[in-house]
Amino acid sequence: MADNTATAIRPFFDGATNTVTYLVWDPATRRGAVVDPVLDWDNRSGEADTASAAAVLAAAEAEGVTIDWVLETHVHADHLTAAPWIKARTGARIGIGAGVKQVQTIFRPVFALQDVLPEGGDFDHLFADGESFALGTLQVEVLHVPGHTPACVAYKIGAAPEARSNQPADVFVGDTLFMHDAGTARADFPGGDARTLYRSIRRILALPPETRLWICHDYKAPGRDAFAWQSSVAAQRAQNPHVKDGMTEEDFIAFRTARDATLSAPTLLLPSIQVNIRAGRFPAAEANGVRYLKIPVTAKRGASLA
């Protein structure tokens, strides 16, 4: 658990997807949230499991934490969310940025998903930029940080202004930033944009230097032997090879565009997107009692599928 008297934070690292889920709570009231929960998924067999999410709930129970929110930083393309499983067991509300409506507009026709509820209706709450809400005595501010996807938000958590705490804020940045020795997220997904991503990152890096940044993924940067997920504004501005101070917007766009052209699609892209735009809801079972996900089929240039 992080050494922070204002916000209690416990990370859970999922080695299968390199994703970090966070249990976050207010020590004073024991009201909490789960950020970016992972559903265990075997892509070879189509088998789902909830062991990772169950570990988060077990930790919450051990700490006496009541989970009020499941907070998604965006529609993930590299893991399936366990948000509805947690909601069913805790009554927590599922929240995401209002930009999810744009992501749904992009991907609904790709998968012919007629059952996606309109206007982000699968989620319990769509957060606007600058919106704030209470987590016990803590204050959570939502920062819209698009670029990786249109729906990306960061959650800035700290003491309420009237508490006059000297503790730095904690910001859960999703995929917008990686560790300060690793870089930044890709911007080539549909709806992504490198210029927008740069400006979103600079917005985060304009926060006080002592602000703690909690990362959604880690793949161990070259030269580092251990996984890590806690950074700071100061460390990012001094060390991040993609966006440290001195990297101009045009330099970043050129670098990010060239790098993204070399990246392959995430392994779990196809199942993740169609589940996560439904807030983790799988499609209804068909007549045989089985639920099915879809794989859009395309032909390479010059190939014939006839």
Side-chain angles (χ1 to χ4, degrees):
M1 188 174 71
D3 180 17
N4 182 3
T5 58
T7 306
I9 300 168
R10 181 167 173 182
F12 297 79
F13 183 72
D14 177 56
T17 62
N18 295 87
T19 302
V20 189
T21 295
Y22 296 97
L23 174 62
V24 184
W25 72 94
D26 170 27
T29 63
R30 300 282 161 173
R31 312 301 297 196
V34 178
V35 182
D36 291 334
V38 173
L39 180 74
D40 305 303
W41 174 258
D42 185 338
N43 209 40
R44 295 166 298 183
S45 66
E47 184 178 68
D49 192 14
T50 56
S52 293
V56 179
L57 292 194
E61 183 178 5
E63 294 286 352
V65 174
T66 299
I67 297 174
D68 294 329
W69 285 97
V70 180
L71 300 174
E72 300 284 6
T73 55
H74 62 295
V75 174
H76 303 275
D78 41 31
H79 71 267
L80 282 68
T81 179
W85 188 85
I86 293 175
K87 175 182 176 178
R89 282 148 187 82
T90 65
R93 302 176 72 196
I94 303 173
I96 196 170
V100 71
K101 291 184 286 186
Q102 183 178 344
V103 177
Q104 290 176 330
T105 298
I106 293 170
F107 285 105
R108 184 185 285 110
V110 172
F111 295 101
L113 301 181
Q114 304 304 319
D115 67 329
V116 174
L117 297 180
E119 297 299 305
D122 283 299
F123 297 86
D124 297 307
H125 189 81
L126 305 185
F127 291 110
D129 182 37
E131 185 174 349
S132 63
F133 61 96
L135 193 64
T137 63
L138 300 175
Q139 179 173 295
V140 185
E141 181 184 359
V142 181
L143 308 177
H144 185 213
V145 287
H148 175 58
T149 80
C152 287
V153 293
Y155 297 99
K156 177 176 172 284
I157 304 179
E162 61 271 17
R164 297 182 180 178
S165 172
N166 293 323
Q167 291 290 329
D170 293 284
V171 182
F172 297 84
V173 298
D175 287 8
T176 300
L177 278 165
F178 294 149
M179 284 298 291
H180 45 264
D181 59 355
T184 61
R186 65 197 295 169
D188 62 330
F189 290 152
D193 179 76
R195 187 178 303 278
T196 302
L197 177 60
Y198 179 86
R199 294 177 180 181
S200 293
I201 291 171
R202 297 312 303 182
R203 181 183 185 188
I204 294 172
L205 298 187
L207 295 169
E210 66 273 14
T211 303
R212 284 179 286 234
L213 306 180
W214 299 88
I215 312 302
C216 187
H217 297 287
D218 189 54
Y219 304 92
K220 289 194 291 191
R224 174 158 50 85
D225 296 329
F227 290 110
W229 39 78
Q230 183 182 350
S231 182
S232 69
V233 167
Q236 294 282 346
R237 293 186 64 167
Q239 302 176 49
N240 190 303
H242 300 179
V243 288
K244 63 185 177 182
D245 289 353
M247 174 69 79
T248 70
E249 184 172 311
E250 297 306 322
D251 288 341
F252 176 81
I253 293 168
F255 164 80
R256 189 72 263 172
T257 302
R259 182 175 177 85
D260 288 350
T262 71
L263 300 178
S264 57
T267 302
L268 299 185
L269 174 69
L270 297 180
S272 293
I273 293 295
Q274 54 191 304
V275 170
N276 293 343
I277 64 172
R278 295 182 175 104
R281 178 173 58 85
F282 280 82
E286 298 197 12
N288 62 357
V290 179
R291 302 172 188 268
Y292 292 93
L293 298 175
K294 299 178 179 180
I295 301 177
V297 178
T298 59
K300 280 192 173 182
R301 184 178 303 170
S304 173
L305 301 180

